[in-house]
Amino acid sequence: MTSVTTSPLRVAVIGAGPSGFYATDALLKGREDVSIDLIDRLPTPYGLVRYGVAPDHQKIKSVTKLYERTCGDPRVRFLGNVDFGRDLSHEDVRRHYHAVVYAVGAPSDRNLGIPGEDRAACLSATEFVAWYNGHPDYVGLDVPLDATSVVVVGMGNVAVDVARVLAKSVDELATTDMADYAIEHLRTSKVTDVYMLGRRGPAEAKFTTKELRELGELDNADIVVRADELEVSDASLKAIEGDATAQKNLEVLREMAAKPLEGKPRRLHIRFCVSPKEVLGDDRIAGVVLERNRLEPTESGYIQSVGTGELETLDAQLLLRSVGYRGTPLPGVPFDPRKNVIPNDHGRVLDAPGGQQVVGEYVAGWIKRGPTGVIGTNKADAMETVASLLEDDLPALDPAAAAPEAIDALLAERGVRPFGFDQWLALDRHELDAGKASGRPRVKVTDVEAMLKVGSSG
Ligand code: NAP
């Protein structure tokens, strides 16, 4: 049990996405006398549930009802519109809270490391997803949808989301909560062919079967899978022994390869064992050079891709890399640049990988374990972190600094206007009402100043 001389235990949770909410919930359940400030740099809570989950996957977003309940607990304050690192420093949180939990996710993306990928028409899925979901930082992204062929690099669920959004008709998307400007821009789309590219084979694909199946059932696009790219070696089969998802994926891909084309307006191609080697063109993309790969098991049994030198050029004008999110360092907080996570032991922050514990600092979610797993994975992850926190001896605080009013005063002094949960609920109502009026789940406000205005007038 914590040896804290002032009560209640004051905790700052930085980041109000799923892992931040699950950490908050675990703290509420684990300790009666706790007082939590859930801090986010945006006025809106819910992180990737709002800005990452695909707009045509509304059901997944209903998890926010649980998060709403968490924020309804009088022991929790939501402080939106407060940027850790800019509005509140590492020293500030150490002075005002017994413990801090970093739950900031993995906001950046990985590069391919190939020539030409710095061209304007090479975007990351992270940017494209944030753009169509109305993330205020990405409203102005230039997405060249005059492209007829688009390459999506990667075989994970994000690549599937991005490929599906590009393949669907705008009428299917116009009934979702996709940002208005994105719907309007997608209305002008000239895309006819979307190519998902996997560097490894069908047995190594990372997507889940439900998401794969959905690609085969699109009204607006035929699915194209080459039978010759579905051959699976004994080593690959051995590697997926007992992996029901990978085996089911293979079955579904074989069904897709056998399915005749129906002449739908668009085609979604799923290609395996190819890697982009170079993006051709000047300002605009004039094609993507692909290298065919063969697969080789390593000593550990991992199936790796090895280039064969055999090249082909795919005629494409837009490239989206969907090869994984990437964590970035927080000012004043240890960081492992190899794994792009905050080094930790069961959620306890360490001063370096394998190093000493930094007392009073914890980490949860993607910035703890890397960008893997579905929303629910973060629950067990956050519970582990909070169990560590509640076990530890935490330093005593100056009682005046520990009072919630001290943080309020500090932010006011700096001219920061925290956006409270009641203000979010007013903004939420506004968006839901606008959605009702137009037959959509919600119409998102995508500008921070407008959010602050709606929240304050609600
Ligand atoms: P992911 O599942 O890790 O997939 C990343 C993909 O990028 C893999 O196919 C990987 O191939 C490929 N890749 C990595 N580096 C590459 C390179 N240099 N060249 C070519 N390909 C490369 O990541 P994600 O799709 O970003 O998803 C992140 C997490 O969110 C996942 O756990 C995912 O399931 C979850 N998510 C879930 C849903 C849903 O449930 N509907 C929706 C979206 C996201 P290798 O396997 O060869 O490394």
Side-chain angles (χ1 to χ4, degrees), residues 56 65 74 100 138 228 240 257 293 354 376 394 402 434 436 452:
D56 56 346
K65 285 282 154 227
V100 52
Y138 295 89
D228 64 319
I240 60 164
N293 297 326
L394 296 170
K436 215 174 272 168
L452 299 180

Side-chain angles (χ1 to χ4, degrees), residues 48 52-54 57 60 110-113 125 153-161 164 197-200 204-208 210-211 274-276 302-303 305 322-325 366 369 371-375 377:
L48 278 183
V53 171
H57 281 177
I60 298 179
R110 303 220 307 258
N111 286 329
L112 294 170
V153 185
M155 279 290 162
N157 278 329
V158 171
V160 170
D161 280 347
R164 190 181 66 251
L197 306 182
R199 63 177 168 183
R200 299 192 291 156
E204 288 78 30
K206 293 266 180 69
F207 44 62
T208 37
K210 184 166 165 279
E211 279 63 29
V274 280
S275 287
Y302 174 81
I303 306 294
S305 61
S322 181
V323 295
Y325 284 73
W366 277 6
R369 67 174 194 278
T372 59
V374 292
I375 293 169
T377 314

Side-chain angles (χ1 to χ4, degrees), residues 93-321:
V93 293
R94 292 317 316 269
R95 191 172 322 118
H96 292 280
Y97 299 92
H98 296 104
V100 52
V101 180
Y102 304 109
V104 295
S108 192
D109 53 81
R110 303 220 307 258
N111 286 329
L112 294 170
I114 59 168
E117 75 168 314
D118 51 350
R119 291 186 212 294
C122 293
L123 302 174
S124 71
T126 318
E127 295 171 302
F128 182 59
V129 167
W131 171 77
Y132 65 59
N133 276 323
H135 191 298
D137 292 354
Y138 295 89
V139 168
L141 188 75
D142 180 15
V143 184
L145 289 175
D146 53 346
T148 53
S149 289
V150 184
V151 163
V152 179
V153 185
M155 279 290 162
N157 278 329
V158 171
V160 170
D161 280 347
V162 161
R164 190 181 66 251
V165 163
L166 287 165
K168 276 193 169 184
S169 71
V170 76
D171 290 343
E172 293 170 280
L173 298 168
T175 55
T176 71
D177 65 354
M178 178 179 273
D180 282 347
Y181 59 76
I183 294 172
E184 285 322 304
H185 194 49
L186 282 162
R187 215 174 272 293
T188 68
S189 169
K190 300 268 187 298
V191 173
T192 57
D193 290 85
V194 180
Y195 294 85
M196 268 177 74
L197 306 182
R199 63 177 168 183
R200 299 192 291 156
E204 288 78 30
K206 293 266 180 69
F207 44 62
T208 37
T209 312
K210 184 166 165 279
E211 279 63 29
L212 171 64
R213 255 190 225 290
E214 202 181 344
L215 295 183
E217 292 160 2
L218 298 179
D219 290 341
N220 199 47
D222 277 317
I223 190 90
V224 187
V225 179
R226 287 168 45 162
D228 64 319
E229 290 187 345
L230 294 186
E231 281 162 25
V232 181
S233 71
D234 289 347
S236 283
L237 284 176
K238 188 162 187 309
I240 60 164
E241 258 171 28
D243 181 342
T245 301
Q247 300 193 8
K248 209 79 196 137
N249 282 349
L250 275 180
E251 223 174 87
V252 173
L253 285 163
R254 287 187 183 125
E255 285 164 23
M256 287 174 163
K259 205 173 156 199
L261 301 192
E262 294 176 40
K264 294 178 184 175
R266 291 179 180 158
R267 284 160 300 280
L268 202 167
H269 310 252
I270 307 184
R271 299 276 319 265
F272 294 104
C273 288
V274 280
S275 287
K277 290 301 282 181
E278 185 180 356
V279 181
L280 303 174
D282 299 318
D283 286 350
R284 302 184 58 81
I285 296 185
V288 180
V289 179
L290 307 183
E291 181 175 21
R292 175 147 293 284
N293 297 326
R294 63 187 161 75
L295 299 179
E296 234 174 45
T298 63
E299 260 176 33
S300 68
Y302 174 81
I303 306 294
Q304 67 178 0
S305 61
V306 181
T308 61
E310 187 189 325
L311 302 179
E312 68 175 285
T313 300
L314 197 62
D315 180 28
Q317 303 82 40
L318 171 62
L319 179 142
L320 292 160
R321 56 178 192 279

